[in-house]
Amino acid sequence: MMEDKQEPANPTPPLDVKLQLHLGDKLKLLFAETAQTPIPDRFAQLLDQLESAGVAGVQAQPGSPCKDADDASEARK
Amino acid sequence: MTPTAEFKTALLAEVAHLRFFALSLTNMPDRADDLVQETLIKAWAGAERFQSGTSIRAWLFTIMRNTFYSDYRKARREVQDTDGELAAKLTSHPEQSGRLELEDLKVALAQLSEDQREAILLVGASGVSYEEAAAICNCAIGTIKSRVNRARQKLMELMGIDAPEEIGGEFLSASDPVRSFMSQST
């Protein structure tokens, strides 16, 4: 089995379409499993806070893990 | 709806996908939700950088992945997760009763390289296009395609499926036109 260090230009040929459908179904089920778990209220509350108080207001909250919201700029590079 | 309210609604609609991607990055449910929170705050702070008409999911995933690799990775190394533990935790919240049919997939996913696992989950489970996955992972589309192809092949090997006949019929729902066509043509 070839290691993936080289990232060869020629992709390996795709599997039989049916196999891909089967694997695709399972992968989607994997997401569905996570999506089934109730979403904690903390996210809706966080967005409410962001809307009413802004980022500075949320960062002032104790326990917020966000130290430097400014580096979201990195994401657009 | 105001632009702000629209943006908020759009973010909220992506939370499930953000949790899934965070879980695949961190392998730890608690950290995953912290990573989601941090991503939402950064997205809010950088809202003006989002280009309307582009995928907000891809934009959020990019922020999340950058955050993970700059901040969280160090912390993860300190925890000294072993591969075995990763396999058990991968994309599974502790409160969930494990779905047996997915266990083989989780075990197989844990054996892929990080790059391959990320690519196949983005494209196969998160509904992200090849182009978007390439942007998220900061690499060429061809690289993503080859990672996905090799991940697929390796998953099938690991799961012991190498011929269509070995697939149970339960996935070939008659209601799906593509599948019903395919099952007829067999």
Side-chain angles (χ1 to χ4, degrees):
Chain A
M1 181 54 89
M2 192 161 46
E3 273 306 312
D4 68 324
K5 298 269 185 272
Q6 300 284 317
E7 304 273 346
N10 304 340
T12 38
L15 290 173
D16 180 275
V17 179
K18 212 167 190 176
L19 291 175
Q20 291 195 26
L21 273 179
H22 175 69
L23 183 60
D25 278 336
K26 282 206 151 196
L27 287 164
K28 287 187 192 100
L29 274 176
L30 200 61
F31 167 71
E33 189 185 70
T34 298
Q36 263 176 11
T37 61
I39 292 174
D41 288 341
R42 65 188 272 197
F43 300 119
Q45 286 166 3
L46 172 72
L47 289 168
D48 286 343
Q49 280 175 15
L50 286 167
E51 192 177 32
S52 59
V55 172
V58 169
Q59 285 178 286
Q61 300 282 321
S64 165
C66 187
K67 295 177 293 292
D68 46 356
D70 284 344
D71 60 14
S73 58
E74 290 169 19
R76 300 304 297 164
K77 277 181 198 162
Chain B
M1 218 189 274
T2 65
T4 306
E6 261 177 49
F7 188 64
K8 184 177 133 182
T9 305
L11 291 186
L12 203 52
E14 290 300 326
V15 167
H17 275 285
L18 287 171
R19 292 182 87 205
F20 181 77
F21 188 44
L23 213 42
S24 72
L25 287 169
T26 65
N27 293 299
M28 287 179 271
D30 293 346
R31 278 192 184 276
D33 279 351
D34 286 347
L35 183 57
V36 172
Q37 169 156 336
E38 199 165 345
T39 302
L40 290 173
I41 293 171
K42 286 185 177 181
W44 196 272
E48 76 281 357
R49 291 186 207 96
F50 173 65
Q51 293 159 1
S52 58
T54 63
S55 162
I56 196 164
R57 182 175 306 160
W59 182 66
L60 292 168
F61 278 17
T62 307
I63 295 174
M64 175 174 281
R65 191 174 183 278
N66 287 347
T67 303
F68 173 71
Y69 282 109
S70 59
D71 302 348
Y72 279 70
R73 209 125 184 242
K74 227 179 289 165
R76 191 177 81 163
R77 265 191 230 109
E78 286 161 14
V79 176
Q80 294 276 332
D81 246 341
T82 68
D83 284 346
E85 283 170 316
L86 289 180
K89 287 174 189 164
L90 186 81
T91 62
S92 181
H93 281 284
E95 66 265 28
Q96 289 168 338
S97 54
R99 294 175 57 156
L100 211 58
E101 57 187 318
L102 293 177
E103 290 311 303
D104 59 341
L105 175 60
K106 289 179 187 176
V107 169
L109 278 167
Q111 294 176 64
L112 298 182
S113 72
E114 213 164 77
D115 288 346
Q116 289 179 10
R117 181 167 60 240
E118 180 176 55
I120 190 87
L121 287 177
L122 281 172
V123 173
S126 294
V128 162
S129 71
Y130 284 108
E131 289 83 350
E132 288 162 357
I136 291 164
C137 300
N138 196 24
C139 66
I141 292 181
T143 305
I144 290 291
K145 285 185 176 170
S146 99
R147 284 177 189 169
V148 168
N149 274 336
R150 272 175 291 142
R152 275 181 182 144
Q153 298 214 330
K154 198 159 180 198
L155 286 177
M156 285 306 180
E157 270 174 40
L158 290 166
M159 291 161 70
I161 302 168
D162 50 23
E165 302 80 58
E166 290 180 35
I167 300 175
E170 73 267 34
F171 286 101
L172 299 171
S173 155
S175 61
D176 185 322
V178 177
R179 283 127 210 264
S180 53
F181 168 77
M182 289 181 53
S183 48
Q184 280 161 18
S185 68
T186 312

